[in-house]
Amino acid sequence: KNDKWFLVNEEWPHSGAKLTGGSLTDQHELICPMHAYAFNLYDGAEERGRCQSLWTVKLEANGEELWWINAIH
């Protein structure tokens, strides 16, 4: 019911490394395991502005389909 769906690029914008190993917080932030950078999934911004934003798209469930809502680059 309260699930949120996001589509993100497969690489961290600050290092180019694959997103594997990252963790997700209750505040909808994706955390880099190597540098502890926190990226907001709603707008892609790194919490302290240390690098360019993560490419992210918010998806919305409509029955059994996911709808592309907005893209942030």
Side-chain angles (χ1 to χ4, degrees):
K1 180 178 175 179
N2 292 322
D3 290 343
K4 303 247 188 282
W5 296 85
F6 296 90
L7 176 68
V8 297
N9 191 14
E10 69 174 327
E11 297 177 346
W12 296 107
H14 64 288
S15 68
K18 299 287 183 199
L19 282 173
T20 55
S23 59
L24 185 62
T25 71
D26 291 337
Q27 293 78 36
H28 300 99
E29 292 177 323
L30 192 56
I31 309 296
C32 169
M34 294 182 67
H35 304 102
Y37 284 17
F39 295 88
N40 183 304
L41 290 176
Y42 285 100
D43 63 10
E46 196 280 320
E47 69 176 344
R48 295 184 5 206
R50 296 177 278 193
C51 67
Q52 70 184 97
S53 295
L54 180 69
W55 184 88
T56 182
V57 174
K58 183 177 180 228
L59 302 171
E60 186 174 290
N62 183 6
E64 293 188 20
E65 298 178 285
L66 287 177
W67 293 78
W68 181 291
I69 302 301
N70 62 346
I72 312 285
H73 300 273

